[in-house]
Amino acid sequence: MNDFVPPPLLGVGINYLPSAPEIMRAGEGLLDFFELSPDILCIEEGQGPARRLTPQPRLLDRTLRDTDGRPLVVHGLGLSMGSAHGWNEGYLKLLDMVHELRPFLWHSEHLGFLSVETPAGGEIVTGIPLPMPYTEESLNLLVPRGAAMAQRYGVPFLLENLTHYLPGLPTDGGRDEVAFLNDFVERSGCGLLLDLYNLHCNATNQGFDAREALPRLRLDRVVQIHVAGGGSHDGFQMDVHDTVAPEPVWELLEWVVPRLPHLAGISFEMLEEARLTPQAVRQQLERARTVWDRYHPRHGKNLRHGTA
């Protein structure tokens, strides 16, 4: 399958954090879009197949007001794309509701899984996405699901590269994550969300060269980039997204952006627990804006002045 249709250019964005209005205001005049994770607007109830995400009405209403006037993209946390026993139907129902209230230009998820089935027919939720083996079996699971997500909402579906701490994952034919992602997009018609900080984490923790890995990726399928930062623990670079992006991430951004023919947006990503000042966030957005405008100068200017 090769029916990938890239979305329109957006520019620079940030993930929406309802608990940090001062951080959201820090991007005034710089932001072209918001990235929303619908999961954070909900309370999780029930277990196993009956597990559901119940929206908090006031929080949902405020989110729709705060993001009004700018394009919206969705970055899911709870779909669990790679769960062998099935993905999270409760998340899909939530996403259906969000899409009806506010259509989004694309939707993304992580390359991984969040839940496993127990021998007794129950379910264990891991809390963080775990990596999948780079095998044909994994591709046979993910490819139809990715294609179904794109068809369900009529917008591109993107898969994001994942930070993980498990070396020696099972593989077929010597595939690494890059080769696996390439096979996924080729067979599914989907796109990629390239998280440069995740790539930096894996390169640091697993001892490979991120600059060698990037040229091997299907760069023509990259629609969105995440830049982020995090600390280290016991020698591991952690995927916690609670600090400014480190210099190696900005260097990767500078290298890769001019090589992405269908890049539609660069977003700065952080957790709600991040202790970043509004000034620090604004500096990150300004730096992303500088890179974006270097390769999309007229589009970036028009968006900021509302004449696109």
Side-chain angles (χ1 to χ4, degrees), residues 132-138 168-177 179-180:
M132 301 182 68
Y134 304 133
T135 61
E136 283 293 321
E137 184 178 20
S138 294
L169 290 171
T171 180
D172 289 339
R175 279 192 191 96
D176 59 3
E177 186 180 39
F180 186 88

Side-chain angles (χ1 to χ4, degrees), residues 74-199:
V74 165
H75 183 49
L77 305 173
L79 181 59
S80 196
M81 275 283 292
S83 287
H85 65 290
W87 55 20
N88 184 355
E89 292 290 343
Y91 175 79
L92 279 181
K93 291 178 181 178
L94 169 66
L95 196 55
D96 288 345
M97 182 198 69
V98 170
H99 188 257
E100 185 175 346
L101 293 171
R102 176 74 57 77
F104 41 82
L105 294 183
W106 64 78
H107 174 256
S108 61
E109 261 289 352
H110 302 85
L111 170 58
F113 62 96
L114 283 164
S115 64
V116 294
E117 191 175 29
T118 67
E123 186 180 52
I124 297 174
V125 179
T126 65
I128 58 172
L130 298 178
M132 301 182 68
Y134 304 133
T135 61
E136 283 293 321
E137 184 178 20
S138 294
L139 282 168
N140 289 338
L141 183 72
L142 287 174
V143 166
R145 291 181 179 179
M149 287 299 294
Q151 184 176 17
R152 188 181 186 105
Y153 301 108
V155 297
F157 176 74
L158 317 179
L159 202 60
E160 180 188 25
N161 56 304
L162 184 70
T163 300
H164 68 87
Y165 309 95
L166 300 174
L169 290 171
T171 180
D172 289 339
R175 279 192 191 96
D176 59 3
E177 186 180 39
V178 168
F180 186 88
L181 289 169
N182 289 346
D183 285 340
F184 170 78
V185 299
E186 178 63 29
R187 299 182 192 184
S188 67
C190 296
L192 294 172
L193 194 169
L194 174 58
D195 191 310
L196 291 176
Y197 179 67
N198 287 357
L199 177 65

